[in-house]
Amino acid sequence: MPRLDDVDEQSEPPTPKPAPPEAPGTSAGSGERGDSPARASAVVGSVARGLLDLKADPLPRMSKPRWLAWLPHVVLLYLAVAFFAVTTEQLSNHYGVHGSVRPLLATMVGGSIVVAMRWPMAGYWLGLIAAGLIAGQIHGHVGQGQSWPWMPAGLFAFAPVLLLVALRVPPRVTVGAVTVVVACTGLAEALFRPEHSGTGTPGAILLFAFTGLLGHALRATRLTRTQLVRQETLTEEERARRTLLEERSRIARELHDVVAHHMSVISIQAQVAPYLVENPSEELKENLAGIRANAVEALTELRRVLGVLRSEHPDEAADPHHPQPTLAELGGLVDNVRAAGLEITTEIAGIRRPLSPGVELTAYRIVQEALSNCLRHAPGSRVEVGIAYGPRDVHLCVANTAPTRPAPPTVGAGHGLLGMRERAGMLGGELAAGPRPDGGYEVSAVLPMDPVSPADGPSPAPETTKKGS
């Protein structure tokens, strides 16, 4: 569907195509009347194809609870055996039908239920044929007030078959199936009804119509639930995608200051460099001026992009001129979380040294998000924060014990881990998160770092500090 802003106000509606000339003596009304028989024949044809479609459509298992997944199949098998026994007994004791035909007819009655579990329309026709053969066998044995053409057992044995059909075919095919069996019952009773027999048509109409409506309602409920699950899955995927884009936008806004700082330094150095050289050549001056011009242009583009990103998030109250946090501010972060009620222990190992601004910001944000998750999902737990400086990378670990009280419900999409992985992956690092054997949770990350050269300043001495809560 086109958006409103894509339509020009001065655009004209499309010119309709000329209608084909009508035949003499015809009108629009007669054309519509002529379409009605064609539409009706198409509906009848689709219903007929549905009734004759003998393809397999296995009865699905129950999704919940899992230990009752096969309960419908067990119940239907039990009904098949029960109706086999009841049909055999009624043929023998109520209608006086004996011989090998009796178990054959009873097997067809029970077998129609079993067949309909996988081939619904095949089971339907098998049950209808069995009912017709039984009606022919008992025609001469019907006593005073006995039902015909349906035996009491046959009437109720066909209901599960019709229910299995209604569960797995379109509604119009269900209506056709009910119509066929009711029409066959009415015609048989009107043309071949024995003397003194009871009528079975009203009972068949009520039972089979109710069974068809019940099957249609259950089918509609199942299809609605399936569509709902599919829609929830798509919604969750869209939410995760949107959260990922928002996190990337946030990372871009935060890293703007880092990149802008370096570009400003380049611009200043290129501007000052000619005055540090005695009698600089014109070529050197031109090259340095070009470097400064490119740096200023890059800064302008960065500010323009940052303005677009911040305009998409006007509700954020972050100060754009505030410096981005680093691991040097980890103590203040831990104190704030400790004041919120968590028992935190921090440990820093290795040679502490300055990292590149991007690594500092990413490490701080990962620890910050991990501690926020501990506050939200593990109240009352003990938290350990570890930072280890290696030769080429820095290791982060935030682990908590099992919570001592239930976590309150939280509002939000719950995609903090997605943002942490995005930050780590941006630097070529890795992040892992998962439950611990003691019931707690652990987040660990490895970030490559670009250490400052020792020539730029004195090397700090190795230290290992541990702060208790």
Side-chain angles (χ1 to χ4, degrees):
M1 179 178 180
R3 298 181 303 175
L4 294 178
D5 54 0
D6 291 337
V7 181
D8 188 10
E9 294 180 356
Q10 299 179 355
S11 61
E12 297 180 357
T15 304
K17 296 181 180 180
E22 298 180 355
T26 63
S27 62
S30 62
E32 294 179 358
R33 288 193 297 271
D35 290 342
S36 298
R39 188 178 300 121
S41 62
V43 172
V44 172
S46 65
V47 172
R49 288 191 296 272
L51 291 175
L52 298 177
D53 189 359
L54 305 182
K55 66 180 179 181
D57 188 3
L59 182 67
R61 296 181 296 171
M62 292 179 62
S63 57
K64 293 180 181 180
R66 291 186 178 181
W67 62 278
L68 290 178
W70 295 100
L71 179 62
H73 303 74
V74 174
V75 171
L76 290 171
L77 290 175
Y78 173 79
L79 289 177
V81 174
F83 282 119
F84 169 84
V86 173
T87 302
T88 303
E89 189 272 336
Q90 288 187 357
L91 283 173
S92 175
N93 298 336
H94 293 260
Y95 294 93
V97 178
H98 302 282
S100 59
V101 70
R102 184 184 60 175
L104 176 62
L105 294 175
T107 301
M108 293 179 65
V109 171
S112 64
I113 300 177
V114 178
V115 172
M117 293 169 60
R118 184 172 181 84
W119 298 276
M121 294 312 305
Y124 170 84
W125 291 112
L126 178 61
L128 197 59
I129 292 172
L133 294 176
I134 290 176
Q137 286 291 325
I138 66 176
H139 186 273
H141 305 275
V142 179
Q144 181 69 31
Q146 287 185 318
S147 63
W148 191 90
W150 292 95
M151 293 193 313
L155 191 67
F156 289 98
F158 193 75
V161 176
L162 193 58
L163 179 63
L164 291 173
V165 170
L167 285 173
R168 287 172 287 169
V169 298
R172 62 176 57 181
V173 179
T174 300
V175 173
V178 173
T179 302
V180 168
V181 66
V182 171
C184 290
T185 302
L187 286 175
E189 190 168 340
L191 300 177
F192 307 106
R193 178 182 175 185
E195 281 190 73
H196 311 298
S197 66
T199 178
T201 302
I205 293 175
L206 292 176
L207 178 61
F208 295 151
F210 172 77
T211 303
L213 288 174
L214 177 62
H216 170 65
L218 293 176
R219 179 177 183 269
T221 302
R222 178 170 57 88
L223 293 178
T224 301
R225 187 182 297 113
T226 303
Q227 292 292 337
L228 181 60
V229 171
R230 185 180 295 112
Q231 187 63 38
E232 288 179 349
T233 303
L234 293 176
T235 303
E236 183 64 25
E237 292 177 355
E238 288 296 330
R239 186 184 296 115
R241 188 179 297 110
R242 184 174 64 252
T243 303
L244 178 60
L245 294 177
E246 291 176 355
E247 187 65 25
R248 287 179 176 177
S249 176
R250 179 186 175 193
I251 294 172
R253 296 195 307 276
E254 291 181 348
L255 290 181
H256 164 268
D257 294 338
V258 176
V259 179
H261 169 74
H262 290 297
M263 297 304 298
S264 299
V265 172
I266 293 174
S267 174
I268 295 172
Q269 288 178 341
Q271 185 178 9
V272 175
Y275 301 99
L276 303 179
V277 180
E278 185 177 357
N279 298 323
S281 63
E282 292 299 326
E283 294 181 355
L284 178 60
K285 290 181 179 180
E286 290 178 1
N287 288 334
L288 292 175
I291 293 174
R292 183 178 184 278
N294 289 331
V296 171
E297 184 179 354
L299 277 173
T300 303
E301 294 296 332
L302 278 174
R303 293 191 184 99
R304 184 179 295 114
V305 173
L306 182 65
V308 173
L309 294 177
R310 281 180 175 151
S311 66
E312 295 177 356
H313 302 269
D315 297 334
E316 293 190 359
D319 185 1
H321 303 292
H322 190 277
Q324 296 295 344
T326 63
L327 287 178
E329 303 176 28
L330 182 62
L333 174 64
V334 170
D335 291 339
N336 291 336
V337 177
R338 185 180 291 122
L342 286 183
E343 181 183 351
I344 304 180
T345 300
T346 62
E347 183 174 352
I348 302 176
I351 302 176
R352 298 186 65 176
R353 52 193 182 275
L355 308 176
S356 62
V359 177
E360 289 273 5
L361 175 61
T362 299
Y364 181 89
R365 291 303 188 194
I366 289 177
V367 175
Q368 183 185 41
E369 182 63 32
L371 291 178
S372 299
N373 288 340
C374 294
L375 280 174
R376 286 193 297 264
H377 305 296
S381 63
R382 289 183 292 104
V383 184
E384 298 178 357
V385 179
I387 301 178
Y389 291 86
R392 298 180 179 178
D393 46 33
V394 58
H395 296 254
L396 308 174
C397 181
V398 179
N400 63 273
T401 60
T404 58
R405 57 182 182 272
T410 57
V411 180
H415 294 286
L417 289 177
L418 184 64
M420 288 191 282
R421 287 196 177 95
E422 186 70 15
R423 289 180 180 275
M426 178 189 63
L427 299 176
E430 298 179 354
L431 186 138
R436 303 176 67 186
D438 60 355
Y441 203 83
E442 179 176 337
V443 176
S444 59
V446 179
L447 305 177
M449 61 181 177
D450 185 15
V452 177
S453 175
D456 296 339
S459 299
E463 62 173 341
T464 300
T465 63
K466 185 171 184 180
K467 301 179 182 179
S469 56

